[in-house]
Amino acid sequence: MLRFARALIRRGTAVWRMRPAVRVSAFVAAVSARKSAGQPVLLNLGCGELCHPAWINIDTLAQPPQRIGWDLALKLPVPTDSCDAIYASHVVEHFHPDAAPGILAGWYDALRPGGILRVVVPDLEENARAYLRALDEVRAGLPEAEDRHEWMTIELLDQLVRNESGGRMLRYWARPSIRVADFVAERAGDEFRNARRWLLDAFPALTLLRTASEVGRFRMSGEPHLWMYDAYSLAVLFRKAGFKAPATMSAGQSRIPGFRGFDLDMRADGLVRKPFSVFMEASKV
């Protein structure tokens, strides 16, 4: 979420003005270079600011040479059976649920036989249970329960319903004082910690979108969440895309060779970057 808010506020939507041929050529050149060098072709889709040199890092917003710009709702411009692994953290929830099976089927085609798809999404089940716990605590009159309940309501709903970049979540993070900051940091991980430093330095002026065309452009920008998944429904999505045996993993567990050393889901110090997520993998048969 933070990468969208920062980019849209500061730079506009310049990525959409990039010529498609430029984006395709950059993508194809990166894959060809890896293959020519005998290196595994690893795609980090929706990377945001978390780029790794061992991976081809792709996001809606281009930042050459570290990050290639691509609309992830479109088919990946790579040959069939060409990728060793595809990793997409907090990406799939931004796709319309009717479109998601076809998008993941395209990722399946891009993988070589035995190649691995790793998807990370916010955990709908855990979020719902945490919201209900917060509600019970409010009713029990526990200290700071109202603050935790407010945050859990924002965490559960804001990215689904917001009509402005950053939404209520960004406004909450920008408050001069957050009484349950440790609770929010535990739940939101690095995204909150990084945003907090940025927002306290200079909170951007956010404008509530008013007209139908403004709201429509924003809702199609790729920032809002369009669906949520639990471990069961994410496995159903994997199977619809052609994967046979999706398996839930931990943040530090993967069948992708050397994955833990890339520090993508878990930092070197052991902190999980996106806690309270579903981590799921499956191999192409």
Side-chain angles (χ1 to χ4, degrees):
M1 183 276 294
L2 176 61
R3 68 177 181 269
F4 283 107
R6 293 176 69 168
L8 293 175
I9 290 165
R10 293 182 174 181
R11 292 163 39 190
T13 53
V15 65
W16 302 112
R17 296 193 292 271
M18 188 186 300
R19 289 182 292 115
V22 173
R23 289 181 280 158
V24 171
S25 63
F27 212 135
V28 171
V31 172
S32 298
R34 297 295 171 107
K35 284 189 168 294
S36 297
Q39 299 172 335
V41 177
L42 309 173
L43 303 186
N44 179 9
L45 304 183
C47 62
E49 298 176 2
L50 190 60
C51 300
H52 192 284
W55 293 70
I56 299 172
N57 302 288
I58 301 120
D59 201 78
T60 304
L61 300 169
Q63 189 180 33
Q66 296 90 349
R67 192 169 69 202
I68 297 170
W70 189 254
D71 181 351
L72 296 176
L74 301 177
K75 182 176 175 60
L76 298 176
V78 298
T80 298
D81 300 337
S82 62
C83 300
D84 295 280
I86 295 175
Y87 167 72
S89 177
H90 285 233
V91 171
V92 173
E93 67 273 15
H94 294 274
F95 300 141
H96 191 283
D98 292 343
I103 294 170
L104 265 69
W107 298 355
Y108 181 92
D109 290 342
L111 288 167
R112 63 166 176 77
I116 297 170
L117 172 65
R118 182 180 178 90
V119 167
V120 184
V121 295
D123 188 347
L124 172 58
E125 177 186 4
E126 198 286 328
N127 281 7
R129 293 182 187 278
Y131 164 78
L132 291 173
R133 286 195 301 271
L135 184 59
D136 287 341
E137 291 174 358
V138 168
R139 289 169 173 163
L142 297 184
E144 299 181 339
E146 293 180 359
D147 298 82
R148 290 190 293 275
H149 176 269
E150 181 185 9
W151 169 253
M152 284 312 310
T153 303
I154 291 172
E155 182 178 332
L156 186 61
L157 296 176
D158 176 63
Q159 293 188 81
L160 289 165
V161 303
R162 68 173 57 157
N163 287 333
E164 62 179 0
S165 187
R168 288 180 178 271
M169 187 173 288
L170 199 67
R171 294 183 184 277
Y172 185 98
W173 287 355
R175 292 177 181 177
S177 176
I178 300 175
R179 291 202 302 170
V180 291
D182 289 345
F183 175 75
V184 177
E186 178 188 8
R187 296 201 56 83
D190 274 357
E191 192 165 24
F192 169 71
R193 287 184 283 265
N194 294 337
R196 188 76 173 147
R197 290 191 289 268
W198 169 61
L199 292 167
L200 290 178
D201 178 57
F203 180 63
L206 301 182
T207 302
L208 183 64
L209 304 178
R210 299 294 184 185
T211 69
S213 60
E214 287 174 339
V215 171
R217 282 194 297 271
F218 172 74
R219 294 295 299 177
M220 295 294 290
S221 70
E223 176 177 339
H225 290 182
L226 301 183
W227 204 245
M228 290 188 72
Y229 297 89
D230 50 40
Y232 167 76
S233 58
L234 185 60
V236 169
L237 176 60
F238 266 72
R239 293 189 185 98
K240 285 181 178 179
F243 295 94
K244 302 301 182 185
T248 302
M249 302 285 180
S250 69
Q253 175 190 16
S254 177
R255 290 178 292 190
I256 299 172
F259 184 80
R260 179 64 186 88
F262 299 129
D263 297 336
L264 292 174
D265 285 333
M266 183 179 288
R267 300 188 331 191
D269 61 7
L271 278 178
V272 178
R273 295 186 184 277
K274 297 278 190 177
F276 305 111
S277 298
V278 179
F279 303 86
M280 187 165 288
E281 290 185 0
S283 300
K284 179 174 179 176
V285 177

